[in-house]
Amino acid sequence: MTSSSALGGRRTVRVWFGQHIIAMYTAEPALAARYESAMRSRFAGLRVTNQLVGTTAVAPQAGDKG
């Protein structure tokens, strides 16, 4: 069995306030999804992204709900 981290499966969750990252967390996919859910609940009005590690963080655009 191959771990997801060996396949590059770690994910980074970011919480955005406008174009600024106010929280960032990197973990295995299951933990990242759990963190993403918690951040969406806590910061309901802010954009939350969940991307593969190594992908470029793109700041939210005007009108982007994420």
Side-chain angles (χ1 to χ4, degrees):
M1 181 176 196
T2 305
S3 72
S4 61
S5 61
L7 298 173
R10 291 178 61 84
R11 302 195 58 94
T12 299
V13 177
R14 295 177 181 93
V15 180
W16 299 83
F17 182 76
Q19 294 185 349
H20 304 281
I21 297 170
I22 62 168
M24 186 166 62
Y25 177 72
T26 300
E28 300 301 315
L31 291 175
R34 186 173 169 188
Y35 182 81
E36 176 188 6
S37 178
M39 293 300 101
R40 286 188 187 279
S41 295
R42 183 168 183 170
F43 299 107
L46 301 183
R47 180 174 185 220
V48 178
T49 58
N50 184 344
Q51 299 175 308
L52 280 172
V53 168
T55 56
T56 304
V58 178
Q61 301 300 312
D64 192 1
K65 288 293 202 178

